[in-house]
Amino acid sequence: MVTIQTADNVLKSFYLNAVTDALNMQTNPLLAQLQRTSANVVGKDVKKAIRYGVSAGIGAGTETGDLPTASSSDFIQLTASLKNLYGTIEISDKAIRASGSSEGSFVNLLNEEMESLIKSASFNFGRMLFGDGTGRISKVTAVDGNAVKLESVAGFVEGMRISFCSVGATELSNGVNRKIVKVDRQQKSIRFDGAPITTSIVPLGSYVCLTGSTNNELTGLGALFSDSAIYGVDRDCSVMKPYIQNNAGEIDDLVLQNAIDAIEEQSGGKVNFIVCSWGVRRALMNYYRSKQIGMATMEIEGGFKAISFNGIPVVADRFCPEGTLYLLNTNDFKIHQLCDWQWLEGEDGKILKQVPGKPVYTATLVKYAELMCENPSGQGMISGITEA
């Protein structure tokens, strides 16, 4: 006989490891390359001291001259708050009772809920990797009742709960917690439920955010390649300045190699991963095809496939901005976490909890983590690439 207690035990003992592996390794090709660690987690923050420059005390001299004067290396303290990442499933009491006499039906019920959770979490965490931590997904360009046009709809899918927010990522009243009912990718527009809105409620230039996530998301590549301070440190120091090339135009192997050489010269590191938009990948493939040169393919961590540029994997990502390509050293990135994914337990140790006043039970996965790059100068971005 399947009961709430049975469901609780199964979620704890069987599904947690499978879901954790799926979220960590199958969400996104870039995320699968990043190391997860509990090092440098201090209370609710991540604190990482990074060395820049070299220590003195090395040199050449005469047999009787002075020895080189030694001095210690210079350090910068990077600090960021752990972000609270959640994933919730919902199971009705009716569904549990309907499958109570059939273990197979119950397993199917749980499988469906967990697959939905993984799909939703993968979409949103993959999007966060390319964001700036504010939660702003796209800018509003036109308002029409229950629909808005946006600069990009890559970060949206039907069923998402969204809110409209200001440039500073403050949610706007009367534009909060709307459910997306349609995404028109050709027109770059979304349609949502609730009362119609006007530009007096949502001014042009406002942003759309995931409800509840404003200023609470992972510090992604959008923040790394901005002019603003990051991890509590200004950009004055050279180690905090990534390589940026704008208005690149047509892509070819020389554009890529020039950028890689510049990055490796300024940082002393090695570019080992390239991620770009789909249009940029097509443009790169077209370039090699025009030269009648085949591009090798390779398999990378997580079981993903990639094309190879001089041994460096090149992957396309749906959330990478149009006309943009990132050249990264994934060894410089860490997912600093207090713990890996865990079920949120009540005082009684149970993870399935009834929603007050409703015949519905919910369970929530939680992870406290932050993405940090300890060497921004070892990363590069080329934008304004002509897509194919």
Side-chain angles (χ1 to χ4, degrees), residues 72-220:
S72 60
S73 301
D74 293 318
F75 288 86
I76 292 177
Q77 178 76 41
L78 307 182
T79 303
S81 297
L82 292 172
K83 302 305 191 298
N84 310 319
L85 308 177
Y86 302 107
T88 300
I89 63 170
E90 183 177 275
I91 306 174
S92 70
D93 180 66
K94 183 178 181 180
I96 293 176
R97 293 180 184 276
S99 59
S101 59
S102 171
E103 292 184 359
S105 297
F106 178 68
V107 169
N108 290 336
L109 171 66
L110 287 184
N111 282 342
E112 183 178 343
E113 288 297 326
M114 300 312 294
E115 287 174 4
S116 177
L117 171 64
I118 292 171
K119 181 178 179 180
S120 299
S122 298
F123 183 89
N124 283 294
F125 297 146
R127 175 185 57 77
M128 288 184 196
L129 289 178
F130 294 87
D132 61 3
T134 64
R136 298 178 304 192
I137 304 175
S138 189
K139 184 183 291 186
V140 176
T141 60
V143 175
D144 182 17
N146 283 81
V148 293
K149 285 193 172 183
L150 304 166
E151 287 186 339
S152 171
V153 294
F156 300 96
V157 69
E158 286 83 359
M160 280 179 65
R161 288 280 178 180
I162 59 167
S163 295
F164 295 95
C165 60
S166 66
V167 174
T170 299
E171 291 186 349
L172 304 173
S173 58
N174 299 322
V176 177
N177 200 23
R178 302 297 188 94
K179 182 180 179 179
I180 296 178
V181 296
K182 182 180 179 180
V183 179
D184 189 328
R185 303 197 180 277
Q186 290 186 333
Q187 298 297 321
K188 293 187 177 181
S189 68
I190 59 173
R191 183 170 294 277
F192 45 87
D193 65 2
I197 61 172
T198 63
T199 52
S200 62
I201 297 173
V202 179
L204 300 185
S206 301
Y207 285 84
V208 182
C209 302
L210 186 68
T211 296
S213 290
T214 53
N215 294 316
N216 292 319
E217 294 192 347
L218 295 173
T219 304

Side-chain angles (χ1 to χ4, degrees), residues 35-42 45-46 335-340:
Q35 180 184 343
R36 284 161 292 280
T37 177
S38 58
N40 306 114
V41 175
V42 181
D45 296 326
V46 180
I335 299 288
H336 294 275
Q337 57 191 34
L338 194 60
C339 62
D340 215 334

Side-chain angles (χ1 to χ4, degrees), residues 238-259:
S238 61
V239 74
M240 299 304 295
K241 296 178 180 178
Y243 173 91
I244 297 177
Q245 179 186 350
N246 297 314
N247 305 315
E250 299 293 333
I251 189 72
D252 57 37
D253 56 350
L254 190 58
V255 170
L256 283 181
Q257 196 58 55
N258 282 339

Side-chain angles (χ1 to χ4, degrees), residues 368-381:
Y368 306 106
E370 173 61 305
L371 173 63
M372 180 176 282
C373 175
E374 59 191 46
N375 182 18
S377 67
Q379 322 309 320
M381 178 185 75

Side-chain angles (χ1 to χ4, degrees), residues 226-240:
S226 71
D227 295 327
S228 303
I230 187 170
Y231 314 131
V233 178
D234 291 331
R235 302 285 185 157
D236 295 337
C237 182
S238 61
V239 74
M240 299 304 295

Side-chain angles (χ1 to χ4, degrees), residues 19-80:
V19 171
T20 297
D21 182 68
L23 292 178
N24 288 341
M25 303 304 297
Q26 300 171 29
T27 292
N28 179 280
L30 175 57
L31 184 62
Q33 315 309 308
L34 306 183
Q35 180 184 343
R36 284 161 292 280
T37 177
S38 58
N40 306 114
V41 175
V42 181
K44 297 181 180 181
D45 296 326
V46 180
K47 294 183 180 292
K48 174 71 174 180
I50 62 169
R51 179 187 288 110
Y52 67 96
V54 297
S55 58
I58 304 298
T62 65
E63 294 181 33
T64 58
D66 294 334
L67 295 173
T69 301
S71 64
S72 60
S73 301
D74 293 318
F75 288 86
I76 292 177
Q77 178 76 41
L78 307 182
T79 303

